[in-house]
Amino acid sequence: MRASPIRRRPRTRAKIRCVSANRPTGQQQTGTYDSAFLKACRREPVPHTPVWFMRQAGRSLPEYRKVREGIAMLDSCMMPELITEITLQPVRRHGVDAAIYFSDIVVPLKAIGIDLDIKPGVGPVVEKPIRTRADLEQLRPLEPGDVPYVAEAVRMLVGELGATPLIGFAGAPFTLASYLIEGGPSRNHEHTKAMMYGDPQLWADLLDRLAVITSAFLKVQIEAGASAVQLFDSWAGALAPADYRRSVLPASAKVFESVAGYGVPRIHFGVGTGELLGLMGEAGADVVGVDWRVPLDEAARRVGPGKALQGNLDPAVLFAPREAVEAKAGEVLDAAAGLEGHVFNLGHGVPPNTDPAALTRLVEYVHERSAR
Ligand code: CP3
């Protein structure tokens, strides 16, 4: 299958420009440097508040369900043309200000030989959970040659996207560790915390190995042309601040530090992290993602100066009538009015049964309401 070019472009898209050679990798030829999304990440003035949605590519789109028919999730993550098509779909349809690379947080683990699968409606399931020091040997470093389809798809995407930035991503060490230790999705992360409290050295070694893998996965995406990266620590909200600081922050900080030299914005996101926002900023990100539980003005106080924020409309609001969606989105924009930089997003991913028209309207609303 061939990926078709983008038909619908964001109206306020920056013109392709000749930019200087000292711009970060991934922002040199394409003109993304001047996009509203990257400007907001850098806390510079923007023509309108940029907007994209976590899980914007996926089951909410009929065109996604069509191209994925009969192809398993993990197989689709290894097919560059399909990845390109799926990543472009929400950009075409909604006119969002950034694309997010279509993949999954467990792809690098699969690529180094971990026996796992993504079960529909469940999530990642690991055949042999990691519980002992001997199990750690399953986790070797990731080489770029383990994921050739990633660099290939990113290069294809950058060519198709023009001035629209591509966000690369990876799972944070804690969230990946939870899947590996529990063997699948978990509500209370019991085995994970049992290792964290019961064998701190094994825990630290596991998170360090995951930090090395995650860093390598992000580097592949940045070197192939991604203009920003997001670290998903989806389950970090399960942790008390003291435990996060001692047992998790060092590994996430190592990931951010490893890609600092590229000069691309680094976004740090988790769910239920109201009490952790300051620490998540301290881990080294340029942009901190906020879920819907903390208003953005309060989140900015917790994060402190020098960071942009991303968020934070409750995804469930998308099921309310249009007027209610716009009222709640307006509240998000009002709370963000005094921020140094704001990227509009949901507080978590697009629910699979969302009406895609609600997302398209929301993009238009955010652009119009924030245009100056
Ligand atoms: O559009 C995008 O945001 C990019 C694609 C993306 C996927 N997974 C595709 C996907 C991203 C950024 C992820 C990250 C991811 N994967 C996270 C962090 C983000 C978050 O939601 O907190 C986590 C925790 C995972 C693990 C995972 N993979 C889960 C919980 C699931 C859902 C299982 C289900 O079926 O409901 C997956 C599968 C998955 N990853 C799907 C998609 C589009 C659904 C599978 C399908 O479409 O068949």
Side-chain angles (χ1 to χ4, degrees), residues 52-59 64 68 73 100-106 118-124 169 175 179 232 234-235 269 271 348-349 352:
W52 70 280
F53 304 116
M54 293 181 274
R55 297 279 180 97
Q56 63 191 15
R59 283 170 294 183
Y64 169 81
R68 273 287 316 282
M73 177 63 195
I100 178 153
Y101 179 76
F102 180 80
S103 185
D104 193 82
I105 57 170
V106 297
I118 296 179
K119 298 244 154 74
V122 178
F169 77 89
T175 291
Y179 281 111
F232 281 95
S234 302
W235 313 142
F269 171 78
V271 184
H348 198 181

Side-chain angles (χ1 to χ4, degrees), residues 224-264:
S227 338
V229 286
Q230 176 157 320
L231 193 66
F232 281 95
D233 210 351
S234 302
W235 313 142
L239 294 162
D243 291 326
Y244 179 84
R245 179 191 286 282
R246 184 174 44 239
S247 307
V248 172
L249 189 151
S252 292
K254 179 170 176 158
V255 174
F256 285 120
E257 179 56 31
S258 77
V259 295
Y262 292 102
V264 302

